[in-house]
Amino acid sequence: MSVQHDFDLTVFNTLALKSQCSDYVALTDHNDIEPAIRYAKAHGLNVFVLSGGSNLLLPEKFRALTIHMLMQGKEILSENADEVVIKVQAGEIWHDFVCECCAKGYHGLENLALIPGRVGAAPVQNIGAYGVEAGEFIETVWAYDLKQEQHIQLTAEQCHFGYRDSIFKQQAGRYIIYALSFKLLKHAQLRLNYADVAQRVGEDATAEKLLQTIISIRQQKLPQPEQFPNAGSFFKNPVITAQQFSDLAEHYPNAPHYQQHNGMQKVAAGWLIDQAGWKGKRLGDVGMFERQALVLVNYGQASLQDVQRTYEQIQTDIYQKFAIRLEPEPVLLNQFGEISPHISAC
Ligand code: EPU
C-alpha cells in the first residue's frame, strides 16, 4: 500500500473540477482497506472513498485520505438453467460489465448501459435508467463497515434501495463497498416500458438490440464526459404532493409526470429547467447541456464555486417559477473530505 501526497484528482472526477487531496491510495485488494484506515487514523485524516468519480463535486483542496477503489475481477457464484449469480469487484467499469453480461447471455442490466462509473458505486445511489434500477438485480453487497470496524455482507433488502437512494447514501461515509453480486436471467425479459425505447427496439427485440438501443439513445441525448465534462443528471426529479402537482398542471397541463405508489407525483427536473430557459444557457464556464437540460457541463476551467453559483441560480429560478425545490444529485465534499449536505438556495 503506497500513499501519495498532494494528489491531483482532476482526471478522476468526470466534471473535471480541479481538485487536490492531501493523501491518496489506489487499492486493488480489499485486504488493504484496513491498513488504509489505520493510516488515516494515525494521521488524523477522514477517509474519502473514490470510485468512478462520475457523481461528485470536489473542492479545490481537501485534507483526507482518498481511497480509490480499483479492485478487479468477476466470478460466478452459482447458476442453474434460468439464473446466474455473478460476483464482481468494485473497481470494474460499469458499462463494460453490463456489455460483458449481455454478451454471455446474462440479462437484466441492458437498460443501464453506458452509465458512467465503476461497479462499486452502483448500489450507493441505486443507479437507474429507462425503467430499471440496479438494486432490482443486486443480491449481496460486500463492504467494510467503518462504524463496527468489520467486514460485512448485506442482502438487497438490507440495502433499503429506493429512487436514487440506499442505506449507503442514508449513512454516507459508513460503508466501503468492495464487491457485489447480481442475480441475472438466462432468458431475457426485456424491459420496454419506455415508449421511446420500445419504438426504437422494434418488433424483433433481443437483449443485444435493447443494449445497442440504450447506448445510441444515451449517446444522442447525453454528453460524453470526455468531450463535455459532466456528472450525469445534476438534479433529482422532484417528488411533489398531489396538491402541488395539481397547481402545476393547472398552468402547465403538459408537464411530464410519473405517478408514485404513495399518491405523490414525480416531475421531470429536465423539463422544469428547460421551461425556465436554462437549456443551453451558461453562467461563465458552467451551463446546462443544449440537448438535455438536466445535465450540467463544465465547458472550461470551472471551480466548485462556479458550479455552485450556477446551480443555486437555477434552484432559485425554478422555485420562483414553479414553487418546486430542486435537489442536486451529486455528492458534495467539504475541505475535510466529508460528504456534506447541499445548502438549498431557496
Ligand atoms: N425534458 C425536457 N427538456 C429537457 C430534458 C427533458 O422537456 O431538456 C423532458 C423530456 O421530454 C421528458 C422528461 O423531461 O418528457 C424526462 O426526460 P428524460 O426521459 O430524458 O429523463 P430524465 O427524467 O431527464 C432520468 C434519469 C436519467 C436516466 C433517464 C432515462 C433522473 C434524475 N435522471 O432522466 O439518469 O438516464 O431518466 O431513464 O432520474 C443520471 O442519473 O445521471 C441519468 C442520466
Side-chain angles (χ1 to χ4, degrees):
M1 195 192 77
S2 124
V3 177
Q4 300 181 58
H5 301 286
D6 298 330
F7 190 85
D8 188 356
L9 293 173
T10 311
V11 296
F12 293 125
N13 75 98
T14 60
L15 241 183
L17 296 178
K18 226 182 250 152
S19 180
Q20 197 185 68
C21 66
S22 61
D23 297 76
Y24 167 94
V25 64
L27 291 196
T28 52
D29 183 342
H30 74 269
N31 291 313
D32 285 335
I33 293 175
E34 282 171 284
I37 291 163
R38 279 199 293 276
Y39 172 94
K41 273 195 182 152
H43 292 81
L45 299 169
N46 289 316
V47 165
F48 162 59
V49 180
L50 176 65
S51 180
S54 56
N55 198 41
L56 262 190
L57 296 175
L58 294 176
E60 222 160 305
K61 274 193 178 214
F62 63 97
R63 191 176 174 275
L65 173 65
T66 297
I67 298 186
H68 202 175
M69 303 297 279
L70 299 177
M71 40 288 277
Q72 304 285 303
K74 284 161 251 155
E75 62 177 304
I76 302 242
L77 296 186
S78 65
E79 77 179 299
N80 60 31
D82 301 318
E83 291 170 342
V84 56
V85 178
I86 180 164
K87 182 175 178 183
V88 52
Q89 298 293 313
E92 294 279 348
I93 301 293
W94 174 261
H95 176 66
D96 295 348
F97 174 63
V98 170
C99 293
E100 197 182 319
C101 288
C102 181
K104 289 202 160 130
Y106 309 152
H107 301 298
L109 303 177
E110 289 80 5
N111 299 43
L112 305 178
L114 218 61
I115 293 182
R118 295 179 188 271
V119 168
V124 180
Q125 66 151 340
N126 186 19
I127 56 171
Y130 304 103
V132 173
E133 289 180 345
E136 297 172 51
F137 294 94
I138 291 173
E139 193 172 74
T140 305
V141 173
W142 284 261
Y144 183 78
D145 180 347
L146 286 156
K147 193 169 166 192
Q148 313 251 13
E149 301 190 334
Q150 61 183 20
H151 291 269
I152 53 153
Q153 286 180 32
L154 294 170
T155 61
E157 205 183 326
Q158 290 171 320
C159 294
H160 296 162
F161 291 122
Y163 168 61
R164 295 295 191 271
D165 200 24
S166 73
I167 192 172
F168 311 110
K169 215 167 163 182
Q170 292 150 15
Q171 300 188 30
R174 173 166 174 182
Y175 301 102
I176 302 179
I177 296 168
Y178 54 84
L180 36 155
S181 65
F182 290 87
K183 187 186 266 186
L184 301 174
L185 307 170
K186 290 197 174 168
H187 309 286
Q189 289 170 17
L190 306 185
R191 301 277 280 272
L192 301 171
N193 33 342
Y194 263 59
D196 194 15
V197 176
Q199 212 171 29
R200 290 201 199 201
V201 175
E203 300 274 289
D204 52 342
T206 62
E208 177 61 25
K209 212 169 159 198
L210 173 59
L211 179 85
Q212 294 307 331
T213 301
I214 299 291
I215 292 174
S216 86
I217 292 177
R218 288 187 77 101
Q219 280 172 340
Q220 272 168 25
K221 271 198 188 171
L222 298 168
Q224 296 310 300
E226 307 78 47
Q227 200 185 356
F228 297 107
N230 73 83
S233 296
F234 195 82
F235 295 100
K236 287 190 211 173
N237 285 330
V239 178
I240 59 176
T241 62
Q243 180 58 51
Q244 278 178 301
F245 179 70
S246 85
D247 293 347
L248 178 74
E250 201 180 310
H251 299 287
Y252 304 95
N254 298 326
H257 58 102
Y258 318 96
Q259 169 90 48
Q260 304 297 288
H261 300 301
N262 53 5
M264 307 277 277
Q265 294 276 356
K266 192 194 274 180
V267 286
W271 181 86
L272 296 169
I273 298 166
D274 192 351
Q275 292 294 307
W278 271 97
K279 190 173 190 165
K281 187 169 154 182
R282 293 189 195 185
L283 209 57
D285 276 345
V286 184
M288 303 314 283
F289 193 56
E290 61 261 25
R291 275 178 277 143
Q292 165 57 285
L294 189 51
V295 180
L296 180 145
V297 175
N298 173 4
Y299 288 100
Q301 305 289 319
S303 65
L304 177 59
Q305 281 84 346
D306 298 327
V307 170
Q308 282 174 321
R309 188 166 62 111
T310 308
Y311 79 69
E312 285 173 8
Q313 188 59 56
I314 294 171
Q315 285 177 313
T316 305
D317 289 359
I318 297 297
Y319 190 72
Q320 280 173 359
K321 194 170 167 68
F322 301 105
I324 291 175
R325 287 191 171 82
L326 285 186
E327 194 192 329
E329 203 186 76
V331 166
L332 173 67
L333 225 64
N334 70 14
Q335 56 186 357
F336 302 108
E338 295 162 311
I339 294 171
S340 8
H342 290 273
I343 295 157
S344 179
C346 48

